[in-house]
C-alpha cells in the first residue's frame, strides 16, 4: 500500500517570485533534472494564478484585517506538496489521479478557506506526479503562520488528510517524523529554485 507524502514549505515575501517561477514553469529548468520539458504541457491548474504576489497581497488585505503591517521576514505563504511514491501514483489512472488532487484541494479549502488558496497546480512533468497547493496562513483575521501551522496542526494534517482523502485512494499515513525520499527530493529542488530566484528578485 502506498503512503501519503505531504510536506509544507514556509515562504517569505522574498521567495514568492521564485516559487511562482518554479510552479508555473516560467524559466527553463537548470538545476532540477527531473523536469521533462516535453511533458510540461501536461501540467494543469486546479487553481491557476500568474501573479502570486498580487494574489497574496489582496488576500492579506481582505482577510487579515487585524494585521496592519506585514514584516519583511513574515511568512506570507505555505506551499504544500502532496503526492505518494512514484509507483503508486503512476498505477492510478489519469482520471483517478485527477480526482485525488481535486479531493486534496477540496480538503484544504474546507480546512483553511478557498479564499486563502491562491494556487493549486499539478506537476506531471517530473518523476512523480504531485500537487503544489499554496495557503496564505490567516487565522482570526491575522497573518499567523507560526501558530496556525504549529507542530500539533502539522501532525493533525497528516493523520486527518490520510483518513479523509488518502484512504479513499488506498493510501496510508506515512511514518510520523519521517519524510519520503522522493518528496524530500521534490521539496529540495523546489526550495533551491525558490532561493535562486529570490536572489534574482532582490537584485532587480
Amino acid at each position: 500500500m502506498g503512503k501519503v507524502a505531504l510536506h509544507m514549505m514556509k515562504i517569505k515575501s522574498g521567495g514568492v517570485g521564485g516559487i511562482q517561477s518554479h510552479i508555473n514553469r516560467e524559466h527553463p529548468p537548470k538545476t532540477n533534472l527531473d523536469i521533462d520539458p516535453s511533458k510540461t504541457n501536461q501540467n494543469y491548474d486546479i487553481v491557476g494564478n500568474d501573479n502570486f504576489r498580487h494574489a497574496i497581497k489582496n488576500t492579506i488585505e481582505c482577510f487579515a484585517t487585524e494585521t496592519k503591517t506585514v514584516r519583511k521576514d513574515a511568512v506570507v505563504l505555505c506551499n504544500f506538496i502532496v503526492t505518494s511514491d512514484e509507483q503508486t501514483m503512476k498505477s492510478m489512472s489519469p482520471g483517478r489521479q485527477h480526482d485525488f488532487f481535486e479531493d486534496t484541494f477540496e480538503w484544504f479549502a474546507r480546512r483553511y478557506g478557498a479564499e486563502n488558496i491562491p494556487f493549486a497546480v499539478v506537476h506531471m512533468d517530473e518523476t512523480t506526479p504531485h500537487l503544489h497547493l499554496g495557503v496564505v496562513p490567516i487565522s482570526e483575521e491575522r497573518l499567523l503562520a507560526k501558530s496556525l501551522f504549529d507542530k500539533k496542526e502539522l501532525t493533525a494534517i497528516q493523520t486527518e488528510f490520510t483518513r479523509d482523502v488518502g484512504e479513499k485512494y488506498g493510501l496510508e499515513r506515512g511514518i510520523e517524523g519521517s519524510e519520503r525520499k522522493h518528496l524530500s527530493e521534490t521539496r529540495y529542488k523546489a526550495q533551491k529554485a525558490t532561493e535562486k530566484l529570490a536572489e534574482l528578485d532582490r537584485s532587480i
Side-chain angles (χ1 to χ4, degrees), residues 129-165:
H130 57 276
L131 171 69
H132 281 275
L133 182 146
V135 176
V136 181
I138 294 173
S139 178
E140 299 177 355
E141 299 182 352
R142 293 179 183 275
L143 194 64
L144 291 171
K146 187 174 181 179
S147 58
L148 180 60
F149 292 116
D150 58 13
K151 185 176 180 180
K152 181 179 178 181
E153 174 66 2
L154 293 174
T155 298
I157 290 172
Q158 298 280 351
T159 300
E160 295 172 27
F161 175 80
T162 301
R163 179 196 66 203
D164 298 340
V165 178

Side-chain angles (χ1 to χ4, degrees), residues 1-7 83-85 151 154-159 162 171-184:
M1 180 182 286
K3 290 180 170 58
V4 167
L6 190 158
H7 193 86
T83 185
S84 184
D85 62 273
K151 185 176 180 180
L154 293 174
T155 298
I157 290 172
Q158 298 280 351
T159 300
T162 301
L171 304 177
E172 61 184 12
R173 192 193 191 286
I175 299 171
E176 189 167 345
S178 70
E179 282 190 355
R180 304 289 288 178
K181 182 174 182 290
H182 72 277
L183 184 56
S184 295

Side-chain angles (χ1 to χ4, degrees), residues 10-14 16 52-53 55-78 112 115-118 134-149:
K10 292 180 177 179
I11 309 293
K12 297 179 182 180
S13 296
V16 171
F52 288 11
R53 281 197 183 96
I56 291 166
K57 182 174 183 288
N58 280 353
T59 300
I60 293 170
E61 288 177 351
C62 291
F63 302 107
T65 53
E66 292 300 312
T67 296
K68 305 304 180 185
T69 303
V70 179
R71 301 190 318 272
K72 288 184 178 180
D73 63 344
V75 172
V76 297
L77 178 72
C78 295
Y112 303 111
E115 69 278 6
N116 295 326
I117 299 177
V135 176
V136 181
I138 294 173
S139 178
E140 299 177 355
E141 299 182 352
R142 293 179 183 275
L143 194 64
L144 291 171
K146 187 174 181 179
S147 58
L148 180 60
F149 292 116

